[in-house]
Structure formats: structure tokens, C-alpha cells
Amino acid sequence: MTSAPTAEATILPTAAPAADAPPCTEFISRVPYDFARRHLLLGLRSGPETAPRLLTAEGTDPFAVHNTRTLLGWGDASIESVGAEALATRIDRAYEDSAHAAPCDADDAGSSPEDLDRLLAEADRDLLTTEGKAPVVRLVDGLLFEALRRRASDLHIQPLADRTVVRVRVDGSLHDLRELPPGLTAAVTSRIKVMGHMDIAERRIPQDGRATVTIGDASAAGRAVDLRLSTLPTSYGERVVIRLLDTSDGVALTDLDALGMPPDVASAYRRITSRPNGVVLLTGPTGSGKTTTLYATLRWIAARGDGELNVMTVEDPIEYELSTAGVAISQAQVNTRKGVTFASGLRHILRQDPDVVMVGEIRDAETARIAIQASLTGHLVFSTLHTNDAASAVTRLVDLGVEPYLVAASLSAVVAQRLVRRVHAECSGRGCEACMGTGFRGRLPLFELLEIDEGLREGIASGETCASLREGARAHGMRTLYEDGLDRVSSGLTTREEVARVTVDLGGAETGDG
């Protein structure tokens, strides 16, 4: 029987104190996080001329030390024993810092399906591959790069009984990207958790995280992409969804004109949002572009105010950083664990002397009442609701318990919004490789602007029905989402089927929100 290797705790006389030496990048890149955390091991190296050192704890397995030294070729490494709790914390911090700063390089990640196939094969045949090891790191980077190359808004990793499906959401529709061998699923999930500063050992509860990667290579300036990470335990393993927030692609958040509003709607919207007070609501389902419209509006208001306006938001979550040179906007995030809700966050913001306030969503009566009271005391308030059309937002506020006369007095406008897929002009909608055979590439918004005039205020205060308010607005020139969609169809920008998929024909039945 082979005896266990010994690991005597020694310190080289010339070594710097362990607390002052940085973690070794070679150790972090080659030793899996779960292995280092389980066995309480961390490599240190102050410089290329300095002998490496391994931090261990009292319970560290000598076999793990021996295998690590063999893997790294660190036969001359000294072994230093430190406290287990302090070492565990340091390991977590070292891997988290490495994941947060790690670039997603085009050269290393794989910029084609063939490169991804190579990375898959490399990771799958490495028998020592576990969570966080280099082949899996490159595989995850490759999946992210491929998703961004296809202009995806989300990357899904979905474990099934016999395989794991990787899908991307492009222009609002899910498409299969590839399949992963079942043996790689846990490793890929763990790598993503490390990137998002989540608990890698917790697999029984959902978790959320954030990360930033850089897309680019040494010959070109990279661009930062924010990632919103979510894990959910399922019967076949943890499902992962990554929201890709790339401000360098799509609508410029600084340009209200780039939103694509029809000229008459854009003119009225600018006039309404130039008022010093009132409530402006945006409605629509998740993924309909409400946040983009709100962000562009706030940037436009702040820039137009030339620093004279205090613009503040409370969001869940903060999707993009709005402040840039010449534009100062304070953004706060909901944190229910610490008691920061939309209602409490809005209440605290109103003590910060704001001029313009954006609350991410009105979900309850308390938030609705505070928002309306804020507008009545001289603030311009923006928020969102989930309703089918603009007129329904009025009845939703009343259903939440807000008195009709308060809604009538405070509400300035409601904008309903949807996104439809744009016909791919290069292939005339026939389908090609660039549009993944769908005939569509990119999306364009549809808008419905309900401006609250005196006639509508009287109707709201007297309790008129949603249908009555809608017909009154149409009589004064409001164009519905469906009608705006038909205008886009007549211009050849989209199809009637696309419009019917996401809007309601007021002359017929609802066709769904898509």
C-alpha cells in the first residue's frame, strides 16, 4: 500500500508574508475552484523569480497537495498552513476577482461554430475537467461570444434527461445553438456561477448574479458587455439564463430620435416630457422595449437640462449605467432583503430634492399612490405597467386603489409599446444565413400614445370604462398599436403576421402579446 505523501508546513526565509502576496494567476487558471475550495488550497507567487507557495489549512488532504504540485510542476513550492476560515474567504475572493476581470476574447473564445466544436471536444475529453478549469472557461467564453455574434439578447442553458440544450433569443425568438454533453453541464454552470459571484456549492435554490466581460482582441479596442445571470434548480439540474446587455449594439441610449417613434408621436412625446410635473407611464409585456425608451428619455431630459435637473431612478435591476460626461443621473436598485422596495425607494428618493423621478414598475397600491402624490407636488414621474394597451393603464391604477380623481389630476400620458421583427432587406424576407433563415433581422417598435387632455380627464374622474376612454382618444387622433403596425407593414418594414402576433385589432379578437 502506498503511503500518503506528507505536506510539512514550511516557510522560506525570503518569502513575503502570505497576507501580502497575491494569488498566483497560473494556480487560478489551472486549478478548479471547487477543488481549491473543497481541499482549502491556494497558490501564491509574488514574481517570476520567487518560489511558489501553497496555502493550506489543518484539514487539507496531503494527496490534494501532492496532486496540485504535480499538476503545476511546483516541486519546489513551500507549504504554509493558515486558518481554514480565512483561507476559504481568500480563495473565494481570488476566484471571484479573476472571473470578474477575465476578458471574453474573440481570439480565445472561438468565433465560429467550428471553434465551439473544438472547445467542446477539448473540455469533454479532459478527464480532470471540473468546475472552473481552463477548458470549461474557454467553452463558456465561446458560448457567450457566439451568442453576441448572433445578436442574442439572452443565452439559455437548459438541462434535460439525456442532454443539455443551449439556446439563444434573437429578435424575440428562441433558436437552438447547440447541445452539451451531460457530463459538462455542472462544470459550465459552476463556471458561470463563479463569474456572477454566486455560491458555487448551493444547488438547491435559485440565485442571481452580475458580471462584465470584454469582447475584442489585442488589435482592437474591446467593448464591455454586462451580463445578468440567473440559475434555477430543475429536475435535471440547474438551468441558467444569461441576459446580455450590450450598449454598443442596438438603440443608442443617448438619442431619443433613434427610438423609431413616428414623427407625430415623437413630437407630442417630447412636448409632454418637457413639462415640469405629471406622471408618464409606459406599458407593455416584458421585452417590449419599455426600459430602452425610459432610459433614452431620461438621458434626453438630463442633457437638455444642462445639469440644472436632479434626475433619479429606483430600478429592479439597474440594466445600464446612465451617467456619462455631461449627464448626471443617480440610480438606486431595489433590494428586498434589506427592505428597499419600489415604494420605499421612491419615498427616500423624494427626500433627495429630485426634479425627475423614474420608478421601474408600479406593482402595488403604495407605489402608485406615492408616484401620483409626487407628481402633484411638482415632480415629473416616469414608470411602467403591464397592460395590453394605453387606456388599460388608467383602469389598472384605479384597480390598485387610486381614486379616479387623483389619476385624472396627475396622469399626463401613457405610451404602449411592442417590438416586431423587421424584414431582412438583404434577402427580401426569403431567409438567409445572416438572418438564420427566418427572413427577419432586427426589430422595430410600435407605439400608441394616449395623451390625457381635458376631455379624457373628465372621463377618468367620472369613472368611464376603458373602452370609452379608448374611443374618446381615437376620436382625437390617437393611433393604436395595431394601426401603427399596419403603417409599418405598408412601408415594407414588417409583415401583417408579425403585427398580429403582438398586438390587438380593436375591430376583432386579441391575437396575443408574443
Side-chain angles (χ1 to χ4, degrees), residues 44-63:
L44 306 180
R45 186 194 289 268
S46 298
E49 304 302 324
T50 306
R53 286 176 287 159
L54 276 175
L55 297 186
T56 66
E58 184 177 350
T60 300
D61 188 343
F63 276 112

Side-chain angles (χ1 to χ4, degrees), residues 7-165:
E8 299 180 357
T10 60
I11 301 179
L12 294 179
T14 57
D20 297 334
C24 176
T25 56
E26 181 187 9
F27 181 96
I28 298 297
S29 65
R30 299 188 63 191
V31 177
Y33 168 81
D34 68 321
F35 183 89
R37 192 64 163 76
R38 183 168 64 250
H39 295 292
L40 292 176
L41 279 166
L42 182 62
L44 306 180
R45 186 194 289 268
S46 298
E49 304 302 324
T50 306
R53 286 176 287 159
L54 276 175
L55 297 186
T56 66
E58 184 177 350
T60 300
D61 188 343
F63 276 112
V65 176
H66 173 76
N67 291 341
T68 301
R69 294 172 81 171
T70 302
L71 171 68
L72 298 175
W74 284 10
D76 60 340
S78 62
I79 312 300
E80 302 178 24
S81 183
V82 297
E85 184 175 348
L87 180 54
T89 300
R90 187 162 182 183
I91 292 170
D92 290 344
R93 187 181 302 115
Y95 278 85
E96 287 175 358
D97 291 345
S98 174
H100 183 72
C104 179
D105 264 342
D107 287 347
D108 192 40
S111 58
S112 70
E114 292 75 15
D115 291 331
L116 272 179
D117 289 335
R118 172 181 54 79
L119 291 174
L120 268 172
E122 179 182 355
D124 195 29
R125 69 169 173 262
D126 187 345
L127 298 180
L128 297 179
T129 293
T130 55
E131 290 87 335
K133 189 150 187 202
V136 175
V137 171
R138 292 198 299 272
L139 174 59
V140 171
D141 284 355
L143 293 174
L144 289 171
F145 184 81
E146 179 66 10
L148 288 163
R149 190 180 71 85
R150 293 177 180 267
R151 304 174 300 104
S153 61
D154 301 85
L155 174 68
H156 292 232
I157 300 174
Q158 181 178 359
L160 302 174
D162 57 343
R163 68 193 188 283
T164 294
V165 179

Side-chain angles (χ1 to χ4, degrees), residues 205-479:
I205 62 174
Q207 296 188 62
D208 296 308
R210 299 178 72 98
T212 300
V213 295
T214 301
I215 304 299
D217 52 37
S219 62
R223 71 181 192 270
V225 178
D226 292 331
L227 309 178
R228 244 172 45 204
L229 314 172
S230 172
T231 66
L232 178 71
T234 70
S235 55
Y236 296 114
E238 289 181 283
R239 176 180 177 135
V240 180
V241 175
I242 303 176
R243 172 65 56 86
L244 307 167
L245 303 172
D246 184 3
T247 55
S248 64
D249 189 22
V251 174
L253 297 177
T254 58
D255 190 356
L256 196 58
D257 292 329
L259 289 176
M261 286 184 176
D264 57 332
V265 173
S267 175
Y269 184 71
R270 287 177 183 271
R271 173 171 44 79
I272 293 165
T273 54
S274 296
R275 297 171 182 170
N277 62 284
V279 176
V280 178
L281 297 176
L282 274 78
T283 75
T286 300
S288 60
K290 302 187 299 296
T291 299
T292 299
T293 299
L294 278 174
Y295 277 11
T297 303
L298 294 177
R299 293 289 297 271
W300 176 74
I301 290 174
R304 182 177 53 86
D306 197 24
E308 296 181 358
L309 296 176
N310 182 14
V311 182
M312 305 188 70
T313 78
V314 55
E315 307 171 54
D316 183 23
I318 296 173
E319 294 197 13
Y320 293 112
E321 173 61 44
L322 289 177
S323 294
T324 58
V327 176
I329 297 175
S330 298
Q331 295 171 265
Q333 182 159 315
V334 166
N335 188 338
T336 54
R337 293 180 182 177
K338 297 184 178 180
V340 181
T341 63
F342 279 126
S344 65
L346 179 57
R347 190 180 294 110
H348 286 293
I349 280 178
L350 293 175
R351 299 169 186 161
Q352 295 283 313
D353 187 30
D355 298 293
V356 181
V357 173
M358 189 271 275
V359 54
E361 183 181 347
I362 293 179
R363 296 176 178 172
D364 52 47
E366 184 181 10
T367 307
R369 288 181 178 277
I370 298 172
I372 285 177
Q373 289 296 336
S375 74
L376 294 175
T377 54
H379 303 87
L380 180 59
V381 181
F382 293 88
S383 191
T384 70
L385 281 174
H386 290 284
T387 61
N388 286 330
D389 66 346
S392 299
V394 175
T395 55
R396 176 65 58 84
L397 291 174
V398 174
D399 290 343
L400 285 173
V402 182
E403 290 80 359
Y405 74 89
L406 288 177
V407 177
S410 60
L411 193 61
S412 293
V414 183
V415 178
Q417 186 169 339
R418 296 292 190 277
L419 293 175
V420 293
R421 291 183 293 178
R422 182 191 297 268
V423 171
H424 188 206
E426 281 71 14
C427 68
S428 301
R430 292 188 295 269
C432 63
E433 182 180 357
C435 64
M436 302 175 66
T438 63
F440 299 97
R441 184 175 174 86
R443 290 189 289 178
L444 56 93
L446 308 180
F447 292 99
E448 176 180 301
L449 175 62
L450 174 67
E451 183 175 2
I452 310 300
D453 57 18
E454 289 306 314
L456 284 175
R457 292 190 194 282
E458 293 178 4
I460 294 171
S462 63
E464 286 189 11
T465 65
C466 176
S468 176
L469 293 174
R470 183 187 302 116
E471 288 307 312
R474 293 186 69 192
H476 286 81
M478 184 188 79
R479 188 168 59 251

